[in-house]
Amino acid sequence: MAIVQIHPNWDKPPAILTHGYSLEMTAKDKPSLQDAAPLIPAETPIAVTFLPGEDAAARVAATVAVRELGFEPMPHFSARRITSEDDFEGYLHAVVREAGVRRCFVVAGDPPEPQGPYFDTMALIATGAFERAGIKAIGIGGHPEGHPEMTVEQCWDVLTRKVAEIEARGMAPLVVTQFGFDPDAFLEWLAELRRRGIDAPVRLGVPGPAGIKRLLSFAARCGVGASASVLRKYGISVANLLGSAGPDKLVDAFAAGIGPQHGRVRLHFYPFGGLRKTVEWIADYERRQGQA
C-alpha cells in the first residue's frame, strides 16, 4: 500500500517509541531545520504548516529544503485560507514538482468563514486534485480531547468519513493528533478509534521541550486541556510556571500504555521550544532508554 512505500517501518513496532518520529515546522523555521538536520534521522517526515502571514513561495522553499536535507516533506493545506482553485492547485503542483511531495496534510483552518471556495477538509479531498497530482497519503487531524466546535460524536463521524473518502480515492489515510498533556485521554481515544474499526496509522502529538508559559500559551490558543490535575501528570506545577518542561512523563506513559491493540502508532513532535532543542531531547531520551 502507499503508506508502506513512504514509510517501510510502519508495521514494525519500534524498539523505543520515539523511533520513527515526525516533526512540524513553519516556513520561517528553515534556518532552524538546517541547523538541526545533522541530528535528525534520514527520511524523517517533516510537516510544513500553512500559517497566515507566510506566502506560498516561502512554504514551497521550506518544503524543498526538507527534501534536499534528506527528509520526507508533508506540506499542510488549510482549506479556509485557500483563496481559489488556482491557489490550491498551484501550490499543490509546486510542492510536487519542486520537492517530490508524496503526502499532504489537510486541515480546515482557523477562520470561521472560508476565504475561498473550500469550507473544510472534505471539500479539498473531494476535488480529486491530490490523487491526480500523485499524492499517496493524506494526513488528517485527530482530537483526543475533543474539538471546540463539534461534539464528540460529530468528531468521530467526521473522522470516519474522511478516512473512508481518502481510501476510496486510492490514497492512504494518516491520523495526526493535536498535542496534549494528558496521556490517559490520548490512550482512551486511541482505543476507541480502533473499536470503531479505524485502522489507519496514528501519530500522537507531543509538545517538544519549551518554557512552561510558552507551552500553556499554545495550549490555550489550540484548545488543549491544561487543568492543574492534567499538568501534574505532565510534570508541571501551576504554583511554579517559571522554567521549562519536557515531555518525559508523557512519552513514558505512552510507552507503558500502548500495546498491540492500539495498532500502528508513532509520535509527532510540535517543537515549540525550537527544532534543535526538540531533536536533542529525542536523542537524549533514546540514549537513556537504550541504557535502561
Side-chain angles (χ1 to χ4, degrees), residues 51-129:
L51 299 179
E54 294 180 346
D55 62 24
R59 290 193 293 270
V60 171
T63 306
V64 169
V66 172
R67 174 65 73 198
E68 290 179 342
L69 288 166
F71 311 124
E72 183 66 41
M74 186 178 191
H76 283 205
F77 289 77
S78 181
R80 292 176 196 160
R81 294 191 187 282
I82 294 172
T83 58
S84 67
E85 181 180 346
D86 288 344
D87 181 21
F88 168 40
E89 297 211 21
Y91 180 51
L92 173 60
H93 289 291
V95 293
V96 169
R97 180 180 64 251
E98 298 183 34
V101 163
R102 295 172 289 190
R103 49 187 277 154
C104 300
F105 187 83
V106 187
V107 297
D110 296 329
E113 297 297 328
Q115 298 171 1
Y118 309 110
F119 180 76
D120 56 18
T121 56
M122 283 291 281
L124 285 181
I125 295 167
T127 63

Side-chain angles (χ1 to χ4, degrees), residues 12-206:
K12 180 182 178 182
I16 298 173
L17 186 58
T18 49
H19 288 173
Y21 68 85
S22 58
L23 292 165
E24 191 142 315
M25 66 175 286
T26 72
K28 291 180 289 189
D29 289 330
K30 181 181 170 183
S32 298
L33 177 66
Q34 292 167 330
D35 176 55
L39 304 175
I40 303 172
E43 299 184 1
T44 292
I46 299 181
V48 180
T49 57
F50 195 113
L51 299 179
E54 294 180 346
D55 62 24
R59 290 193 293 270
V60 171
T63 306
V64 169
V66 172
R67 174 65 73 198
E68 290 179 342
L69 288 166
F71 311 124
E72 183 66 41
M74 186 178 191
H76 283 205
F77 289 77
S78 181
R80 292 176 196 160
R81 294 191 187 282
I82 294 172
T83 58
S84 67
E85 181 180 346
D86 288 344
D87 181 21
F88 168 40
E89 297 211 21
Y91 180 51
L92 173 60
H93 289 291
V95 293
V96 169
R97 180 180 64 251
E98 298 183 34
V101 163
R102 295 172 289 190
R103 49 187 277 154
C104 300
F105 187 83
V106 187
V107 297
D110 296 329
E113 297 297 328
Q115 298 171 1
Y118 309 110
F119 180 76
D120 56 18
T121 56
M122 283 291 281
L124 285 181
I125 295 167
T127 63
F130 289 113
E131 63 264 37
R132 288 196 301 269
I135 298 302
K136 303 300 183 184
I138 296 289
I140 51 177
H143 299 88
E145 296 181 325
H147 191 285
E149 297 177 4
M150 292 189 287
T151 66
V152 171
E153 201 53 43
Q154 285 173 329
C155 282
W156 285 120
D157 178 63
V158 168
L159 182 59
T160 301
R161 287 191 290 111
K162 287 177 186 176
V163 167
E165 183 71 13
I166 292 166
E167 290 178 335
R169 293 177 174 278
M171 297 177 290
L174 169 66
V175 180
V176 183
T177 78
Q178 177 59 280
F179 78 93
F181 302 118
D182 186 353
D184 297 328
F186 276 69
L187 292 174
E188 290 169 9
W189 175 88
L190 188 56
E192 179 64 17
L193 181 83
R194 302 315 185 194
R195 283 193 292 268
R196 289 174 179 262
I198 300 174
D199 65 355
V202 173
R203 287 193 176 276
L204 300 178
V206 175

Side-chain angles (χ1 to χ4, degrees), residues 145-285:
E145 296 181 325
H147 191 285
E149 297 177 4
M150 292 189 287
T151 66
V152 171
E153 201 53 43
Q154 285 173 329
C155 282
W156 285 120
D157 178 63
V158 168
L159 182 59
T160 301
R161 287 191 290 111
K162 287 177 186 176
V163 167
E165 183 71 13
I166 292 166
E167 290 178 335
R169 293 177 174 278
M171 297 177 290
L174 169 66
V175 180
V176 183
T177 78
Q178 177 59 280
F179 78 93
F181 302 118
D182 186 353
D184 297 328
F186 276 69
L187 292 174
E188 290 169 9
W189 175 88
L190 188 56
E192 179 64 17
L193 181 83
R194 302 315 185 194
R195 283 193 292 268
R196 289 174 179 262
I198 300 174
D199 65 355
V202 173
R203 287 193 176 276
L204 300 178
V206 175
I212 293 172
K213 289 185 178 180
R214 184 173 178 84
L215 288 172
L216 296 183
S217 173
F218 275 100
R221 190 182 310 173
C222 300
V224 171
S227 66
S229 61
V230 165
L231 292 176
R232 277 197 298 272
K233 292 181 187 179
Y234 190 77
I236 293 175
S237 168
V238 294
N240 181 14
L241 299 182
L242 300 177
S244 61
D248 301 69
K249 289 187 175 182
L250 180 67
V251 175
D252 283 345
F254 284 157
I258 291 172
Q261 72 275 19
H262 292 113
R264 295 170 289 176
V265 182
R266 295 290 189 276
L267 301 183
H268 178 72
F269 284 88
Y270 295 87
F272 302 132
L275 280 164
R276 188 178 184 92
K277 184 181 291 186
T278 296
V279 297
E280 286 177 339
W281 180 90
I282 295 169
D284 181 64
Y285 182 85

